[in-house]
Amino acid sequence: MADGRLNLTMVDTARVPPMLALTALVVTFLVTRGITRMIRAGRGPFRNVDPGGMHIHHVVPGVVLMVIGGFGAVFVEGGVVAESVVAVVFGMGTGLVLDEFALIVHLHDVYWSEQGRASVEVTVLTAVVVGMVLIGSSPFDVDDQGGLHEQGALLWSVNLIIGALIAVVSFAKGKFRMGVLGVVIPLVGAVGAIRLARPQSPWAHRFYTRRPHKLARATRRAARHDARWSGLRTRFQNAIAGAPGQPQQQDRDRDRDDSPPPPE
């Protein structure tokens, strides 16, 4: 600008598709969890998809939508509207796939078991990290002649590299959530990297085996942390995804999923 001031454009159309993809991911996940909870309770018009007696998990249409949206994003050339459409398709597919992340990891239907909570954690962390990336990349378009844009890109790249390195240490110490957040907020990852490792983590097995006092401290700290936060985390996950069933309930859910459709 002639007066040297920064030109801040409130709407940056380049960020519309990723924001729509993130919104589609979250909405699809929440709607899917609501439907599965209704199916589990035997309420509403929804039923499992069982063609020929084979249960089709919703990760299958999720993968299909991700493929369509991913290749569409590569080949589409129709401006922001077309890019937004394929972004929504990709976000919907991602929401369906992440909702059954635990199934992919365990290669077994653990949707309503304790292991199934991994799907909720991964989905929430994905949404948080993508949202922070969108916010961190600035919702405004900065246009000036002072080289601030280039400096910002360089600082962002350095920040991302440092965050990734810190995240590796956090992962090794068993601090998965802090490691993921540390990719975009190095300070969070640094806290996880500096503090004592979880007693069952690779870091503890490597460095605490010959230091029993430090292993004991790590065990006590992990117990205090779990006692303080596990209840809140469990209530949050149950509110979103429903409570895992007891072994008997899990068997009934599995039998319901595996049972063939009633004869017409």
Side-chain angles (χ1 to χ4, degrees):
M1 296 179 62
D3 57 2
R5 291 179 301 174
L6 297 180
N7 179 24
L8 301 181
T9 304
M10 293 297 295
V11 178
D12 182 2
T13 56
R15 294 186 176 88
V16 171
M19 286 190 292
L20 289 176
L22 176 59
T23 302
L25 185 159
V26 174
V27 171
T28 300
F29 172 77
L30 293 176
V31 170
T32 302
R33 279 285 168 170
I35 292 175
T36 55
R37 293 175 71 173
M38 292 174 65
I39 294 174
R40 186 191 191 193
R43 298 196 303 266
F46 304 104
R47 295 293 182 270
N48 289 317
V49 180
D50 300 301
M54 181 179 64
H55 179 66
I56 302 298
H57 292 273
H58 49 268
V59 68
V60 176
V63 170
V64 173
L65 291 176
M66 287 186 69
V67 171
I68 295 174
F71 278 101
V74 172
F75 292 110
V76 70
E77 294 181 0
V80 67
V81 175
E83 293 174 356
S84 298
V85 171
V86 296
V88 169
V89 172
F90 182 80
M92 292 173 61
T94 305
L96 291 172
V97 170
L98 291 182
D99 186 47
E100 295 208 296
F101 176 82
L103 169 68
I104 300 173
V105 172
H106 294 277
L107 294 179
H108 181 67
D109 188 2
V110 294
Y111 196 84
W112 294 117
S113 69
E114 192 68 28
Q115 294 92 333
R117 293 183 184 274
S119 298
V120 182
E121 290 208 21
V122 168
T123 304
V124 172
L125 283 173
T126 300
V128 169
V129 170
V130 173
M132 289 192 301
V133 169
L134 286 172
I135 296 174
S137 59
S138 176
F140 304 100
D141 183 26
V142 181
D143 181 19
D144 72 322
Q145 290 115 18
L148 293 178
H149 180 74
E150 288 76 9
Q151 293 179 20
L154 177 60
L155 290 176
W156 172 254
S157 300
V158 172
N159 180 72
L160 191 62
I161 294 173
I162 294 175
L165 294 175
I166 292 176
V168 170
V169 179
S170 295
F171 291 150
K173 288 192 170 186
K175 311 291 183 64
F176 176 75
R177 303 176 193 87
M178 301 185 76
V180 172
L181 296 177
V183 174
V184 290
I185 305 181
L187 181 60
V188 175
V191 173
I194 294 173
R195 291 173 65 87
L196 286 171
R198 302 280 297 184
Q200 301 300 324
S201 66
W203 187 281
H205 284 296
R206 175 66 178 83
F207 296 104
Y208 296 173
T209 302
R210 299 181 180 180
R211 304 173 69 181
H213 295 294
K214 198 162 191 177
L215 180 60
R217 284 180 54 209
T219 302
R220 290 194 300 269
R221 176 169 293 180
R224 289 197 302 268
H225 178 273
D226 293 342
R228 179 181 303 171
W229 298 107
S230 61
L232 179 62
R233 184 170 62 248
T234 299
R235 289 192 294 272
F236 172 74
Q237 293 173 345
N238 290 348
I240 295 177
Q246 299 299 322
Q248 296 84 358
Q249 178 64 38
Q250 294 173 22
D251 292 338
R252 289 194 293 269
D253 293 334
R254 188 177 302 111
D255 291 341
R256 186 184 303 137
D257 290 342
D258 294 339
S259 60
E264 297 180 358

